[in-house]
Amino acid sequence: MTSIEVPGHDIVGIRAANSGPFTLTGTNSWLVGREPTWLVDPGPRLAEHLAAIEQEIARRGGLGGVALTHDHPDHAEALASVRQRYPAAAAAAARGDVDVLLTGGSRFGPLDAIFTPGHARDHLAFIAGTAALTGDAVLGEGSVFVAPYPGALTAYLDGLDRLRRRDLDVLCPGHGPLVRDPTTKLERYAAHRQEREQRLVVALAAGKRGVEELLDEVWDDAPAELRFAARLTLAAHLDKLEEEGRLPKDVERPELPGLSWV
Ligand SMILES: [Zn+2]
């Protein structure tokens, strides 16, 4: 069990032992403040992880509420157990069976919700003081995948901008280490998307039309286990070009399974 101290903030991260290509070293659950403390992303339902969270809640004088950045299982699976254990603590998310439905601009305990869609269409980040808990909008390392739905990529870039306009000194991501230079990271994330788009535009101009050849050309750095994520993000990039009237007519579009979780 790894705990992550956030210097200068009364926030601690607890990393779950669910490492993988999408979760990096595991999901980070965050506890903000004390008497009571507020939990962001309870994480996967792993006994050891839940025990570590409970211990920290006790140390911090009880739980005020629990908020989800989004409802993917690696962030939300343990919500039911936490609610059972702390029935008085309010639960909040942008969707699902919770006490409080949040949108960008909502306040929940010490948390300011910021609309950061793209990875999920109702993804939220939370700001507490000058720290942002970014879920899967921004990770500690690597890049996130953007889920393909109409407007996803443009909405994602707008979300990064909303974060960039805030006065932040640290990002506490859903996966990976703390980000101590938020402005640089957020600018790099936006630049990374623009760079992919530029490479995609070049590949299309060179006559590439098939999904596999576009992936080979534009996502040549993606390891095999992230090829699926690259397909999703390619689909989102093609959608964006189409929305902007910049997509040639005969481009093959990725076939994607039903993405009910987007
Ligand atoms: Zn995640």
Side-chain angles (χ1 to χ4, degrees):
M1 195 59 51
T2 313
S3 76
I4 307 160
E5 299 297 328
V6 186
H9 296 266
D10 191 13
I11 298 175
V12 69
I14 297 173
R15 181 169 296 153
N18 63 332
S19 60
F22 295 103
T23 55
L24 308 179
T25 48
T27 301
N28 300 327
S29 298
W30 299 99
L31 286 150
V32 179
R34 57 189 70 227
E35 288 166 6
T37 190
W38 298 74
L39 171 61
V40 174
D41 286 352
R45 198 168 44 230
L46 297 172
E48 207 189 324
H49 184 62
L50 279 162
I53 288 175
E54 284 181 16
Q55 223 175 57
E56 191 60 38
I57 289 172
R59 204 175 292 147
R60 287 171 174 262
L63 182 65
V66 44
L68 297 180
T69 57
H70 62 305
D71 65 359
H72 294 174
D74 60 317
H75 297 257
E77 197 184 46
L79 177 63
S81 314
V82 171
R83 296 190 77 186
Q84 227 168 24
R85 176 77 177 74
Y86 303 94
R95 65 183 167 197
D97 177 25
V98 288
D99 306 305
V100 185
L101 282 175
L102 301 175
T103 59
S106 302
R107 180 98 188 160
F108 182 63
L111 308 170
D112 263 335
I114 310 289
F115 187 44
T116 50
H119 180 79
R121 65 173 74 224
D122 52 4
H123 189 288
L124 298 170
F126 297 103
I127 291 184
T130 50
L133 303 106
T134 55
D136 285 354
V138 181
L139 302 185
E141 55 203 9
S143 65
V144 296
F145 71 82
V146 176
Y149 62 85
L153 201 51
T154 304
Y156 176 70
L157 292 169
D158 289 347
L160 291 183
D161 238 22
R162 273 188 282 278
L163 286 174
R164 205 164 40 166
R165 284 198 297 270
R166 303 292 290 246
D167 180 25
L168 301 173
D169 60 29
V170 66
L171 305 181
C172 306
H175 307 280
L178 291 178
V179 175
R180 305 305 302 274
D181 185 353
T183 305
T184 303
K185 183 71 153 189
L186 291 164
E187 280 168 4
R188 237 182 246 155
Y189 257 51
H192 176 70
R193 295 271 64 98
Q194 277 147 15
E195 196 186 300
R196 284 279 191 229
E197 177 176 289
Q198 196 44 42
R199 290 177 63 186
L200 182 57
V201 166
V202 168
L204 291 167
K208 307 239 190 266
R209 291 293 182 268
V211 167
E212 297 310 319
E213 58 179 349
L214 288 170
L215 283 172
D216 288 342
E217 181 79 17
V218 181
W219 275 266
D220 55 344
D221 55 333
E225 68 268 26
L226 290 178
R227 184 89 167 179
F228 173 71
R231 288 175 91 83
L232 294 180
T233 306
L234 168 64
H237 272 282
L238 292 174
D239 286 349
K240 177 171 181 284
L241 292 179
E242 186 174 47
E243 287 151 18
E244 295 168 354
R246 299 160 66 201
L247 187 69
K249 290 256 170 292
D250 51 347
V251 177
E252 184 194 359
R253 306 295 276 270
E255 289 220 20
L256 300 168
L259 298 175
S260 56
W261 43 267
V262 165

